Amino acid sequence: MAFFKTNSQTPAVDFKHLPRHVAIIMDGNGRWAKKRGLPRTAGHAAGAETFRTIATYCKDIGLEYLTVYAFSTENWKRPAEEVGAIMGLLKKYLLEAIGKMERDKVKMKFFGDLSPLPEELRLLCEQTEEISKRYEGCQVNICLNYGGRDEIIRAAQAFATACVEGKADPNHLTEEAFSKYLFSADVPDPDLVIRPSGELRLSNFLPWQSAYAEFYFTDVLWPDFGKDELHRALAAYQGRSRRFGGIK
Ligand code: FPP
């Protein structure tokens, strides 16, 4: 797995040849807050601001798909106060997003099992997706109560059910057909996966979809991840040679 560490210079990005789909693990909020003597929840609030900035910028530069990891199936293990703060930030963001949708034409989707979420937030997610259906602009996918293995198990169950019902044939299953059972059905695989905060792992984020993704790791903590850092990631991506198992 290739990865790229940042340097202080901001390289040029070819905006005509952007990746179609960028996926980001928004990591480092807690450490950002700790460094400043603030509660972890302040780090998440700053991280939500960064998400706003980066999502808006991705739309402005014409990126087709942005997927972010907002809350994993494992994040329920965190203290109730922290979980509540993240849910509150999501609610705040969605209320704002709904208000701006007609102007921005951003399409929003959620990857994950929304059923255990607080009802108000779940309804807001459903409403946002419903309104979004009519838009064709940048698609922002928010992974919420998402786990990659959980997603694959759910897809396998749905496929098995389709087989039992005679709607699918296990002898003719292809990767493309299976991917239609994932939360990410109809979304192209991420070309570039970004993880800030110095951690060099995937943490159950889009494991199926990232099979051929390029990875970009940086020590910058998510709340400090600005446009320059995104440019570095995009430029690093553009310097890679993608062969998908073939030769060039
Ligand atoms: C990981 O950092 C971050 C999270 C688990 C939560 C991410 C949530 C947000 C950015 C806010 C809401 C999102 C949206 C889309 C409005 P961490 O807490 O694990 O950081 P640490 O590793 O430094 O402790």
Side-chain angles (χ1 to χ4, degrees):
M1 184 193 296
F3 63 87
F4 182 90
K5 289 274 181 183
T6 54
N7 58 39
S8 56
Q9 284 170 347
T10 306
V13 175
D14 176 357
F15 289 98
K16 289 204 174 73
H17 297 97
L18 291 173
R20 288 187 76 190
H21 185 176
V22 173
I24 307 181
I25 301 176
M26 304 188 289
D27 195 15
N29 297 344
R31 277 164 286 168
W32 182 92
K34 194 173 176 202
K35 267 170 67 179
R36 287 161 179 77
L38 297 169
R40 291 180 56 82
T41 49
H44 294 311
E49 280 307 317
T50 299
F51 165 72
R52 249 185 218 95
T53 306
I54 294 296
T56 305
Y57 187 62
C58 285
K59 168 186 75 69
D60 292 345
I61 61 176
L63 197 84
E64 286 181 71
Y65 297 91
L66 172 70
T67 301
V68 293
Y69 209 0
F71 195 84
S72 76
T73 44
E74 290 73 35
N75 287 150
W76 296 106
K77 293 179 206 155
R78 296 186 178 209
E81 190 206 346
E82 183 169 338
V83 171
I86 295 173
M87 298 297 162
L89 287 163
L90 280 160
K91 186 180 141 194
K92 186 165 168 254
Y93 174 75
L94 293 183
L95 286 169
E96 273 171 33
I98 288 174
K100 288 191 299 191
M101 262 179 173
E102 193 52 47
R103 186 194 74 192
D104 292 348
K105 315 273 187 257
V106 166
K107 199 177 167 82
M108 289 185 66
K109 291 274 282 180
F110 296 90
F111 294 175
D113 173 19
L114 303 185
S115 60
L117 298 179
E119 197 187 1
E120 200 186 355
L121 179 59
R122 184 174 52 75
L123 293 175
L124 211 46
C125 293
E126 289 168 4
Q127 192 190 348
T128 315
E129 272 195 349
E130 193 52 41
I131 301 172
S132 290
K133 279 185 186 157
R134 65 181 109 114
Y135 301 130
E136 296 293 331
C138 176
Q139 178 167 329
V140 177
N141 306 305
I142 298 185
C143 295
L144 191 46
N145 190 29
Y146 172 88
R149 288 184 174 181
D150 176 67
E151 177 183 38
I152 294 168
I153 295 280
R154 284 168 191 277
Q157 284 170 331
F159 175 69
T161 304
C163 290
V164 170
E165 291 171 350
K167 295 176 187 155
D169 175 359
N171 296 311
H172 293 96
L173 181 61
T174 60
E175 291 179 11
E176 197 191 351
F178 187 71
S179 65
K180 301 279 182 215
Y181 292 89
L182 299 170
F183 292 123
S184 58
D186 300 324
V187 173
D189 287 344
D191 302 294
L192 172 64
V193 174
I194 299 174
R195 182 164 195 160
S197 94
E199 309 291 2
L200 306 179
R201 54 178 174 264
L202 206 48
S203 300
N204 211 9
F205 182 54
L206 306 175
W208 171 282
Q209 299 87 339
S210 299
Y212 278 98
E214 295 295 325
F215 288 82
Y216 177 88
F217 297 102
T218 169
D219 291 336
V220 169
L221 302 173
W222 174 247
D224 292 327
F225 191 100
K227 289 177 195 170
D228 279 358
E229 200 52 43
L230 182 66
H231 288 167
R232 284 188 194 103
L234 293 171
Y237 169 83
Q238 289 174 340
R240 308 270 176 89
S241 167
R242 299 186 80 192
R243 295 186 292 280
F244 299 96
I247 48 175
K248 269 216 172 129

